[in-house]
Amino acid sequence: EVQLVESGGGLVAAGGSLRLSCVASGFSFNDYGIGWFRQAPGKEREGVACFASRDGSTYYSDSVKGRVTLFRNNANNTVSLQMSSLKSEDTAVYYCAADGLCSVRAGLMSDYAYWGQGTQVTVSS
C-alpha cells in the first residue's frame, strides 16, 4: 500500500523558513516522481515543485522559484521541501504526491495518483 506522510508545517513569521518532509512507503522514489502541491483557502490547488521520475530533474513554479529547494533521500524514501523568505501568500495546506507527471520543460505537474494528508503552513505578516 502506498502511503505518503507529510510533516514540518507550522506558523512562521514572514521572511522565515520552514522545511516540509514527506516520507513514503509502499514504493520506491526511483519508480515514481514526487511532487508538492498547495491549496490556500478559496483557491485551486497549485503545483509547487516536483522531481521528474525519468531523470530526477526538478521543476519549481514561478511563485516559489528562488525561495524553495527540493531534496531527496532515497535511503529513507523521504522528499523535503525547504522554503525560505516565506510570504503571507505562501499560507496553504501543502500536500506531497506521487506517481504523476512532472514536466520541467512544460512547467507542468498533473495526474498524481497518490496523496498525503497535508500539512498546514501559516505565514504571519
Side-chain angles (χ1 to χ4, degrees):
E1 179 185 6
V2 173
Q3 286 191 328
L4 301 166
V5 179
E6 303 98 333
S7 62
L11 175 65
V12 63
S17 300
L18 274 179
R19 188 178 181 104
L20 307 183
S21 292
C22 173
V23 179
S25 60
F27 71 99
S28 169
F29 281 169
N30 289 330
D31 299 327
Y32 293 158
I34 297 291
W36 282 92
F37 291 78
R38 67 184 181 186
Q39 188 164 21
K43 294 188 177 181
E44 292 187 357
R45 188 168 59 197
E46 172 193 15
V48 174
C50 59
F51 280 115
S53 59
R54 176 174 296 182
D55 58 8
S57 57
T58 52
Y59 161 76
Y60 300 99
S61 68
D62 288 343
S63 60
V64 301
K65 194 174 295 182
R67 302 188 295 120
V68 164
T69 305
L70 270 177
F71 294 95
R72 179 168 63 185
N73 185 328
N74 288 341
N76 295 329
N77 239 22
T78 300
V79 170
S80 299
L81 187 71
Q82 178 69 45
M83 303 189 294
S84 59
S85 302
L86 285 164
K87 308 174 183 178
S88 58
E89 51 263 45
D90 294 319
T91 295
V93 178
Y94 284 71
Y95 298 92
C96 174
D99 191 17
L101 173 65
C102 173
S103 174
V104 177
R105 177 175 293 183
L108 177 67
M109 298 172 61
S110 67
D111 300 324
Y112 281 76
Y114 304 102
W115 294 84
Q117 82 288 352
T119 185
Q120 175 71 46
V121 171
T122 302
V123 183
S124 61
S125 57

